[in-house]
Amino acid sequence: AFALLLGGLLLGAGGCANTNNRDEDTRGASLLLLDSLLGADGPFIYSDVCVGNIGSCGTFSDTATANLRNVLLNPEGEGSFYQDIQMYRLRVTFTRSDGRNTQGVDVPWAFDSVMSGTVGVGGTAGIPFVIVRHVAKEESPLVELAGLGDESIIYTNTRCDFYGRDIAGNEHQVFGWIDIEFGDFADD
């Protein structure tokens, strides 16, 4: 009975060989990895909520780049274009480390957006995207920061979820974090 149980466990483990811990539902032969998530300032973003003077503020979206990699689950296998992953969606969610996380009150609203780009099997791709929408700077809580200078800054830990699908139809998902500081920073 012990040998039967051990054999069943080994067979079950072998049946999970094409499943990775990030994409638990995929049966694809490749794995999507996030190598880095970078803003214009590097591994963090200073998001200026008011460019110009109070009353005539300009607001602009902030962008970031997801540096993605597509590797074969079997390193000795040969890949084909069926393992290429086409990115199609992202979700951005803002949180604070102090636990004050009410959207539209303490942090900007989370949002979904389309994403476009292909990560070839065995390759990498840097895909730019909007991480802070300009409209978020015209809504609470960011609009209240205008005119306060460095007296009031909102620090967020921002989670970015990226979704893709390989040519064979298998879903892939990966996420990463980046720090964003919101404030009315000095204009150059």
Side-chain angles (χ1 to χ4, degrees):
F2 178 76
L4 209 73
L5 176 63
L6 182 60
L9 288 174
L10 290 175
L11 180 62
C16 294
N18 280 343
T19 303
N20 62 69
N21 61 6
R22 179 66 52 225
D23 304 319
E24 293 182 8
D25 293 331
T26 191
R27 298 292 179 243
S30 59
L31 172 68
L32 181 64
L33 300 173
L34 178 64
D35 286 335
S36 64
L37 183 55
L38 301 173
D41 303 306
F44 51 88
I45 295 172
Y46 294 115
S47 181
D48 198 344
V49 299
C50 175
V51 177
N53 298 319
I54 297 300
S56 62
C57 276
T59 57
F60 301 94
S61 296
D62 295 301
T63 60
T65 300
N67 294 302
L68 300 163
R69 184 166 33 123
N70 180 354
V71 298
L72 287 173
L73 287 174
N74 178 358
E76 296 177 10
E78 292 186 27
S80 76
F81 72 94
Y82 287 107
Q83 284 89 38
D84 290 354
I85 299 174
Q86 295 178 326
M87 305 307 297
Y88 66 88
R89 184 171 73 95
L90 71 111
R91 177 157 183 80
V92 178
T93 307
F94 304 94
T95 60
R96 290 172 37 167
S97 60
D98 63 6
R100 296 177 55 199
N101 294 315
T102 303
Q103 294 184 31
V105 176
D106 303 310
V107 295
W109 290 94
F111 68 94
D112 291 281
S113 184
V114 297
M115 183 175 216
S116 184
T118 300
V119 188
V121 65
T124 61
I127 303 177
F129 64 97
V130 171
I131 192 165
V132 179
R133 301 173 302 152
H134 73 279
V135 70
K137 297 177 182 184
E138 298 169 356
E139 299 173 340
S140 189
L142 301 184
V143 70
E144 285 89 2
L145 296 176
L148 298 179
D150 61 1
E151 294 175 24
S152 186
I153 295 176
I154 295 175
Y155 299 92
T156 66
N157 308 113
T158 304
R159 178 177 166 148
C160 300
D161 290 89
F162 303 98
Y163 300 88
R165 183 178 300 117
D166 64 30
I167 306 302
N170 299 298
E171 295 290 326
H172 296 268
Q173 184 264 335
V174 69
F175 69 90
W177 296 87
I178 189 168
D179 291 332
I180 301 179
E181 296 182 17
F182 294 100
D184 187 359
F185 302 110
D187 296 324
D188 292 333

